[in-house]
Amino acid sequence: METRAYEIFSHINREISVRVMPGHFATKHSHVSHCIDMTKVKSDLNSAKAAAKIFADSFSGTPVDTVISLERMKMVGAFLADNLAHSGINLRQDIAVITPEISEDKLLLRDNFLPYVKDKNVLILTASATTGKTVNSAIRGIRYYGGNAVGAATVFGGEFTCDVPVVKLLGVGDISGYSSYAPVDCPLCRSGVKVDAVVNSYGYSKII
């Protein structure tokens, strides 16, 4: 599987890249034709900084009190908060970065995190948003807890309906032949094509 992998770069900043593997992959919400490995953006200092700077520039005119970091994006989230607090409307603002629990696709806030969301302007940060389910679920959760969702930032994103601004560094159009299907409608499964790996925010596990 790895022998088919190749790297693609963000057209905004070449410090930001992801590793792409074509095949048949199962995610939490869908079956996809390509595995998008975002380990570098999540883990490498320079890549995380570059991603955070682009996101911060995109939301420099948006009031932000809290960044909700999902899918192991907390390093990017910390740089994002720092960038936001050094310019624009959030200059010198003390911006929190939190990682709430996700239970059955729903945002779950313990009592100690509630003050960071209730009556606050909250920006969602995630690694991938192809179907929009994670982002829209997070928006509903923020509103349920009395917060104001002001936008979403994602490294890799698809086309979906959302009532807040969404900024993405790479999109499905950057990957030739990229397809995503509901598991019950997956043509690869119907054709008997074996699933190569199961994918989640931690990475992928090959199915032998």
Side-chain angles (χ1 to χ4, degrees):
M1 185 177 75
E2 286 86 350
T3 59
R4 304 192 299 266
Y6 58 94
E7 195 170 17
I8 62 171
F9 298 85
S10 170
H11 60 88
I12 307 171
N13 186 330
R14 287 185 63 84
E15 286 276 4
I16 302 161
S17 66
V18 299
R19 191 163 169 252
V20 179
M21 288 174 280
H24 182 193
F25 303 94
T27 74
K28 188 173 185 179
H29 297 130
S30 59
H31 281 203
V32 295
S33 60
H34 295 72
C35 172
I36 316 299
D37 181 1
M38 286 173 272
T39 304
K40 183 176 180 181
V41 178
K42 296 178 181 182
S43 307
D44 287 9
L45 181 71
N46 289 338
S47 188
K49 276 186 173 181
K53 179 66 165 59
I54 294 169
F55 291 144
D57 289 346
S58 300
F59 289 102
S60 62
T62 302
V64 178
D65 301 300
T66 299
V67 175
I68 282 187
S69 169
L70 304 175
E71 299 183 338
R72 297 174 51 244
M73 289 285 285
K74 199 158 188 179
M75 181 158 76
V76 178
F79 287 129
L80 170 56
D82 185 61
N83 274 283
L84 286 170
H86 278 85
S87 64
I89 198 172
N90 298 294
L91 186 63
R92 290 185 287 277
Q93 173 80 3
D94 187 13
I95 300 172
V97 181
I98 65 172
T99 302
E101 296 169 63
I102 302 294
S103 177
E104 297 180 355
D105 285 339
K106 292 182 175 60
L107 198 76
L108 176 61
L109 286 181
R110 303 292 178 177
D111 290 356
N112 50 304
F113 274 160
L114 285 175
Y116 295 106
V117 174
K118 184 175 172 58
D119 299 323
K120 302 294 185 182
N121 295 308
V122 183
L123 177 62
I124 300 160
L125 173 65
T126 186
S128 178
T130 51
T131 65
K133 288 184 178 179
T134 298
V135 167
N136 282 308
S137 177
I139 291 169
R140 288 193 294 271
I142 291 165
R143 290 170 179 168
Y144 172 81
Y145 288 108
N148 176 36
V150 296
T154 186
V155 177
F156 180 75
E159 301 299 326
F160 57 86
T161 302
C162 185
D163 62 1
V164 301
V166 178
V167 173
K168 56 190 176 186
L169 304 182
L170 292 157
V172 295
D174 295 307
I175 300 174
S176 179
Y178 183 91
S179 300
S180 175
Y181 312 97
V184 294
D185 298 324
C186 178
L188 296 171
C189 289
R190 290 176 180 173
S191 299
V193 178
K194 176 186 169 185
V195 172
D196 291 302
V198 175
V199 182
N200 65 15
S201 64
Y202 290 92
Y204 62 91
S205 298
K206 289 188 286 188
I207 296 176
I208 306 301

